[in-house]
């Protein structure tokens, strides 16, 4: 019987591995592509858009990072490395810590102090990483990590590491396998800009293999207070509620721009208010809980609809990059508080309007 054993086994033909590669996997990938018909009606009742959510929050550590991490850690293991290091807004560190644990390697992570969602921090801690709360932001952390990677025998597992991009491109393969073709549009949040780069690579490779007829237009979304690519210059002190994409000087800036240009797409920004509105909307209409940064793709879709981007009947995939449980604080802040009542059936029925 067929059993899913992760993206390296599933897509080895397209990845830099051979029969002797010591695969380190938590059986990541194979995430659902959810037909979001309620969201489509809520966002664009007149357009019959076929919106699908690539729910990457269902990966083993709750984000898309696992696709790249399985390959980055596998290749580090193959090369005999004993320790890995990363800078992170949270998800990369959770994934690195988990896969390092699985591989019997050490993980060192630098997190911007006070700017990482609690679920992500708890993951890096319990998986046993050595964690530094850096008195600085993500960009400062990445600069130091890159210097350490040059000077010391530790493998960097940020998307500076090309194996991360290789692993992450498999999400595009899955979408084509699931839909039978590429979508017309692919909406995706942009932070350090590795993922949009990876998807575009994946779409192009699978297209070349004859697996899809179309290539999608890649539409990337930054948060307004952290939108260096949109503005055209690095942001010294980026600000956004979407801490995962609170990045002022993305490493894959140029390849991300190239993905947008080559695909006839674009990269734009949405406000924190738009992000939070989309975050609530996707949860309340579809029962899909993603983290705020992930909702930038939905917020971008709403903005694009209002600007008249769609003619009607287009197929659109939105990547929901991380699980909502990563950041319970934001969910609680954004929602109606539970009411306290005594265990009295009459009072409860009265409150519920039954
Ligand atoms: N969404 C989430 C939930 C993320 O964690 C990230 C990046 C992105 C989107 C943006 O992806 O960087 O490839 O453009 N998180 C990194 C981290 C920076 O450290 O976890 P990107």
């Amino acid at each position: 019987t067929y059993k899913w054993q992760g993206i390296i086994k599933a897509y080895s033909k397209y990845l830099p591995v051979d029969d002797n590669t010591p695969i380190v996997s938590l059986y990541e990938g194979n995430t659902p592509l959810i037909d979001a018909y309620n969201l489509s009606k809520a966002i664009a009742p007149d357009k019959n858009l076929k919106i699908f959510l690539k729910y990457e929050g269902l990966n083993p550590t709750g984000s898309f990072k696992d696709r790249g991490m399985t390959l980055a850690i596998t290749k580090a293991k193959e090369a005999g490395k004993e320790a890995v290091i990363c800078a992170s807004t949270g998800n990369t560190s959770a994934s690195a810590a988990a896969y390092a644990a699985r591989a019997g390697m050490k993980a060192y992570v630098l997190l911007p102090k006070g700017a990482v969602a609690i679920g992500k921090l708890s993951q890096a801690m319990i998986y046993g990483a050595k964690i530094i709360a850096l008195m600085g932001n993500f960009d400062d952390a990445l600069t130091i990590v890159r210097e350490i990677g040059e000077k010391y025998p530790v493998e960097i597992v940020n998307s500076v590491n090309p194996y991360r991009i290789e692993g992450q491109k498999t999400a595009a393969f899955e979408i084509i396998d699931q839909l039978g073709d590429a979508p017309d549009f692919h909406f995706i949040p942009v932070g350090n800009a590795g993922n949009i780069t990876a998807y575009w690579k994946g779409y192009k490779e699978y297209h070349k293999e004859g697996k899809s007829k179309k290539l999608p237009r890649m539409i990337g979304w930054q948060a307004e207070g952290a939108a260096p690519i949109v503005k055209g210059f690095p942001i010294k002190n980026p600000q956004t509620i979407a801490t995962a994409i609170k990045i002022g000087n993305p490493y894959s800036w140029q390849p991300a721009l190239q993905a947008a240009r080559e695909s006839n797409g674009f990269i734009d920004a949405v406000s924190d208010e738009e992000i939070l509105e989309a975050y609530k909307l996707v949860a309340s209409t579809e029962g899909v809980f993603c983290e705020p940064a992930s909702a930038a793709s939905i917020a971008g879709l709403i903005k694009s609809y209002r600007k008249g981007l769609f003619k009607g009947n287009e197929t659109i995939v939105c990547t929901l990059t991380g699980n909502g449980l990563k950041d319970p604080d934001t969910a609680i802040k954004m929602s109606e508080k539970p009411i306290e009542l005594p265990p009295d059936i009459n009072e409860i029925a009265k409150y519920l309007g039954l």
Side-chain angles (χ1 to χ4, degrees):
T1 60
Y2 179 72
K3 225 168 110 211
W4 182 265
Q5 288 182 39
I7 60 116
I8 297 181
K9 282 247 166 88
Y11 296 110
S12 59
K13 187 180 156 201
Y14 304 92
L15 297 170
V17 293
D18 59 38
D19 291 345
N20 298 320
T21 305
I23 296 175
V24 181
S25 173
L26 290 164
Y27 303 174
E28 61 295 314
N30 196 24
T31 56
L33 188 67
I34 302 170
D35 183 344
Y37 39 79
N38 296 318
L39 193 66
S40 174
K41 278 205 198 89
I43 293 176
D46 57 330
K47 292 289 183 195
N48 188 35
L49 301 179
K50 293 166 197 79
I51 301 173
F52 293 90
L53 308 173
K54 185 61 172 165
Y55 192 22
E56 291 289 278
L58 291 187
N59 276 297
T61 78
S63 87
F64 72 94
K65 305 286 181 181
D66 295 343
R67 294 181 183 275
M69 205 55 71
T70 181
L71 192 62
I73 299 284
T74 291
K75 296 301 282 187
K77 181 110 187 150
E78 189 175 46
K81 299 282 165 64
E82 287 170 4
V84 299
I85 190 165
C86 67
S88 182
T89 56
N91 282 325
T92 298
S93 68
S95 188
Y99 283 80
R102 180 88 160 147
M105 296 164 79
K106 288 194 191 101
Y108 307 130
V109 310
L110 272 71
L111 304 177
K113 183 177 167 237
V116 170
I118 194 77
K120 304 175 189 184
L121 182 61
S122 74
Q123 288 180 287
M125 291 170 75
I126 198 72
Y127 296 136
K130 198 170 268 290
I131 305 171
I132 295 165
L134 189 75
M135 295 181 274
N137 61 28
F138 171 84
D139 302 290
D140 300 324
L142 186 57
T143 301
I144 291 180
V145 161
R146 291 175 68 187
E147 278 178 36
I148 290 178
E150 275 171 25
K151 284 194 185 147
Y152 301 97
V154 290
E155 192 71 7
I156 302 179
V157 293
N158 282 105
S159 53
V160 172
N161 181 327
Y163 298 127
R164 281 277 314 280
I165 305 293
E166 288 301 302
Q168 283 171 213
K169 77 185 178 189
T170 61
F173 296 169
E174 284 180 20
I175 289 167
I176 291 169
D177 289 342
Q178 288 165 320
L179 275 180
D181 199 351
D184 299 307
F185 290 88
H186 191 107
F187 279 65
I188 186 167
V190 173
N192 212 23
N195 212 25
I196 188 172
T197 303
Y199 269 91
W200 181 236
K201 189 167 196 285
Y203 278 125
K204 283 194 297 186
E205 286 183 14
Y206 235 37
H207 183 256
K208 216 168 168 187
E209 286 280 309
K211 299 270 193 179
S212 70
K213 292 197 275 304
K214 294 185 251 187
L215 280 167
R217 294 176 67 181
M218 299 301 300
I219 318 290
W221 296 93
Q222 301 198 290
E224 261 173 18
I229 299 177
V230 180
K231 299 210 162 131
F233 51 84
I235 307 295
K236 268 230 143 52
N237 187 17
Q239 294 300 336
T240 171
I241 178 117
T243 52
I245 53 172
K246 194 172 161 187
I247 295 175
N249 192 12
Y251 177 75
S252 296
W253 187 321
Q254 289 312 320
L257 268 182
Q258 199 184 325
R261 285 197 192 119
E262 270 180 27
S263 71
N264 190 30
F266 56 85
I267 298 174
D268 196 358
V270 279
S271 68
D272 280 5
E273 292 68 38
E274 290 171 308
I275 287 172
L276 291 174
E277 184 200 335
Y279 169 71
K280 274 195 96 155
L281 186 68
V282 65
S284 62
T285 61
E286 298 292 5
V288 176
F289 187 21
C290 66
E291 60 172 292
S294 307
S297 61
I298 308 287
L301 178 54
I302 295 170
K303 183 169 176 174
S304 299
Y305 165 73
R306 290 181 183 153
K307 282 193 162 178
L309 183 66
F310 307 116
K311 290 202 218 57
N313 300 304
E314 289 97 334
T315 300
I316 301 162
V317 172
C318 297
T319 300
L320 297 183
T321 46
N323 198 300
L325 291 170
K326 295 264 189 180
D327 187 1
D329 294 337
T330 303
I332 288 170
K333 242 181 261 160
M334 286 295 297
S335 309
E336 198 184 318
K337 302 291 168 290
I339 183 170
E340 284 183 31
L341 288 176
D344 177 314
I345 187 171
N346 295 320
E347 272 200 58
I348 289 170
K350 190 173 151 213
Y351 172 71
L352 295 175
L354 297 174

